[in-house]
Amino acid sequence: PPGMGPPPPGMGPPPPGMGPPGMGPPPPGMGPPPPGMGPPGMQGMMPPMMPPGPQGPLGMGGMPSIMGGMQHGHGQGRGGPPGGRGMGPPQGMGPPQGMPSIMGQGGMMPQGPGGHGMGQGGPGPRHMGASDRGGGGPHQPGPPPTIAPQAAAMVQAHTARGGTGYRAPGTQSAAGGKEVKNNYSQQFVDTGRRPQNYLRDAHIVDLYEEYPKMKELVNMKAKMVTDSNTPPFYLKADLRQLKLSPETFGTKFDVILIDPPYEEYVRRAPHGSGMRDREVWSAKDILSLEIEQIADNPCVLFLWCGAAEGLEIGRQCLVKWGFKRVEDIVWLKTNMERDARSGYLQPNNQEASSVIVRTKEHCLMGMRGNVKRSVDGHFVHSNCDTDVIVGEEPPGGSTEKPAELYDIIERFCLGRRRLELFGEEGNVRHGWVTVGRQLPTSNFRPDVYSSHFKWPDGRVYVENTMGGRMPRACPVVIPVPQEVDEARPKSPPGAHGARR
């Protein structure tokens, strides 16, 4: 057939009736093929579904393919028979070893014996990574292609020029080459870019783009929260001296967010950032905060803990303040918007006690009171968010946290009285009271703030006196429109038919 070339030396012409070399004689009694059906020995096979071209006819495979995404039809599936598209060519019928194939942006991958960039019997489709989608990142982990020795030098040169394909130590292939692996840890060592930089649709703006119903629900809840928010209140005060009590604030709180100044924040800050002169609170200092005095029943607490000893301190605080730990929210810190190599991997900026490089922080979530989703949907409105935040780490060792946490809190808890301790100017927000020594000024007055939470008869709602369950239709809870409650995802019905 066209493109097959002459038979290998020494094979000679085929015997009469055998067709092309290597095809074998036709089965007895088959006779000549119908017109246009091909040479003898191929009767009963479907004719080619496409004319001979760069990819060859059906089942022939083996010619170079330029396909932006998946490469089909090159490489026999494991355990599958040779033959049709998606499988490799018969033994000895493939292209010459070393014929190039273009695979995404990871460099030129020469062919192995079984097909494009794959060893004999290797899988067919490629796994697309960020570079295939235009993101410029490494490929997602997938079956590593086996490449010929001459390709190793090409990949190495490509990596040296800043390419997205990078090498990692691999085992020797049968052809003597090396395996190319998607090693995000090696990528971090080589470039300083963290693995989480390559997560798709991680930004809060893109989070719900492919889920229109969820996006509509989130937008409705955002409007619901905005319409019921109080003005922003802020109080410049030293929390070592400020008495935490209902008298100080005029009421208790439904939500409390705390980000203590751990020693870890100062210890990990780059030299010259100014963070090393900041205030530090010990575990004893943090435990001495009387959070239980200003937390209503029920109440939800969010406590930032860093990535080191703060986790143990945080668990002790929840117990001491009367909260049960219910979740652990993790912030994966990216470094896409700044120089990834700026001192981060220098020895003097590493945690002395860390075993691996830390690129995340934890926020423990605690619950006080008898709260159940099946009966307290007017207070906790969940099923919208996960326990992972992907966001850019601020420069210069700043302790700034991702604003996405505020949205998670406001979508989850419908209580209107929200307090943040150890806040700074950038934390001031509608619907919240922000307290901290770093604030430039104050506008907080307990009588003005508490006036936003009055019963119809004019009495101020200070605390729940009806046990650990928030009463319905009280002035501190955001009213939920029917269309919002119907749109939110719910768990399957329980034993008594209740949906949560």
Side-chain angles (χ1 to χ4, degrees), residues 12 20 26 29 52 60 66 107 152 197 207 221 291 303 307 316 382 402 405 457 475 497:
M60 297 300 290
I66 303 176
N197 289 4
L207 212 54
K221 293 189 75 169
I291 302 300
L303 177 62
Q316 296 175 22
S382 52
L405 182 65
D457 60 6

Side-chain angles (χ1 to χ4, degrees), residues 57 121 137 186 190 210 213 262 280 302 338 345 436:
Q186 186 65 44
D190 292 342
E210 297 182 5
K213 290 186 178 180
Y262 298 104
V280 172
F302 295 84
R338 59 193 178 91
L345 293 178

Side-chain angles (χ1 to χ4, degrees), residues 12 27 46-47 141 150 179 181 243 246 248 255 282 287 318 320 327 330 368 373 406 452 476 480 482 484 493 498:
M46 292 293 294
Q150 61 266 33
E179 294 182 349
K181 296 184 178 180
K243 181 177 177 58
T248 300
V255 176
S282 66
L287 285 164
L318 292 182
K320 190 262 183 183
E327 295 292 347
V330 177
R368 183 182 188 185
R373 289 191 301 168
Y406 293 110
H452 292 276
V476 299
V480 181
Q482 183 178 356
V484 175

Side-chain angles (χ1 to χ4, degrees), residues 224-456:
M224 181 181 73
V225 171
T226 301
D227 292 344
S228 62
N229 275 341
T230 64
F233 288 92
Y234 40 94
L235 174 62
K236 179 180 174 67
D238 187 346
L239 286 168
R240 295 184 188 273
Q241 302 174 5
L242 182 69
K243 181 177 177 58
L244 300 181
S245 67
E247 292 74 27
T248 300
F249 296 101
T251 185
K252 290 188 175 183
F253 291 92
D254 309 305
V255 176
I256 301 176
L257 171 61
I258 308 175
D259 186 11
Y262 298 104
E263 182 194 358
E264 176 196 348
Y265 293 168
V266 176
R267 194 171 62 237
R268 74 186 185 197
H271 290 281
S273 64
M275 277 293 299
R276 295 183 181 267
D277 299 326
R278 296 287 294 270
E279 177 185 27
V280 172
W281 279 47
S282 66
K284 182 179 179 180
D285 295 331
I286 300 170
L287 285 164
S288 67
L289 290 170
E290 296 181 333
I291 302 300
E292 63 273 16
Q293 298 297 321
I294 56 172
D296 205 350
N297 191 7
C299 179
V300 187
L301 175 72
F302 295 84
L303 177 62
W304 283 106
C305 299
E309 66 276 2
L311 273 170
E312 184 59 34
I313 298 172
R315 295 186 181 99
Q316 296 175 22
C317 289
L318 292 182
V319 173
K320 190 262 183 183
W321 297 334
F323 287 82
K324 176 184 178 182
R325 187 184 72 84
V326 293
E327 295 292 347
D328 180 355
I329 299 174
V330 177
W331 171 29
L332 294 178
K333 299 188 287 186
T334 61
N335 61 345
M336 295 184 291
E337 300 175 6
R338 59 193 178 91
D339 182 6
R341 301 287 298 185
S342 59
Y344 189 82
L345 293 178
Q346 300 302 318
N348 60 342
N349 287 329
Q350 291 297 300
E351 284 274 2
S353 61
S354 65
V355 179
I356 56 179
V357 177
R358 295 166 179 162
T359 64
K360 68 182 185 314
E361 290 192 33
H362 296 263
C363 179
L364 295 181
M365 177 180 173
M367 188 78 71
R368 183 182 188 185
N370 185 20
V371 179
K372 296 181 179 179
R373 289 191 301 168
S374 57
V375 294
D376 294 305
H378 63 291
F379 183 69
V380 289
H381 218 248
S382 52
N383 292 337
C384 276
D385 296 285
T386 70
D387 56 358
V388 177
I389 299 173
V390 182
E392 187 73 4
E393 181 181 36
S398 168
T399 61
E400 180 184 353
K401 299 300 189 294
E404 185 178 340
L405 182 65
Y406 293 110
D407 299 322
I408 293 175
I409 293 172
E410 292 168 2
R411 283 194 288 265
F412 174 75
C413 182
L414 300 181
R416 298 173 56 217
R417 301 171 297 172
R418 310 183 193 101
L419 172 68
E420 180 172 8
L421 301 181
F422 298 102
E424 300 180 2
E425 187 174 4
N427 301 117
V428 175
R429 182 180 175 95
H430 280 82
W432 289 76
V433 176
T434 308
V435 180
R437 198 179 70 167
Q438 302 296 328
L439 290 166
T441 184
S442 301
N443 75 340
F444 182 81
R445 285 177 49 189
D447 58 327
V448 175
Y449 179 68
S450 61
S451 67
H452 292 276
F453 314 108
K454 288 185 176 181
W455 291 100

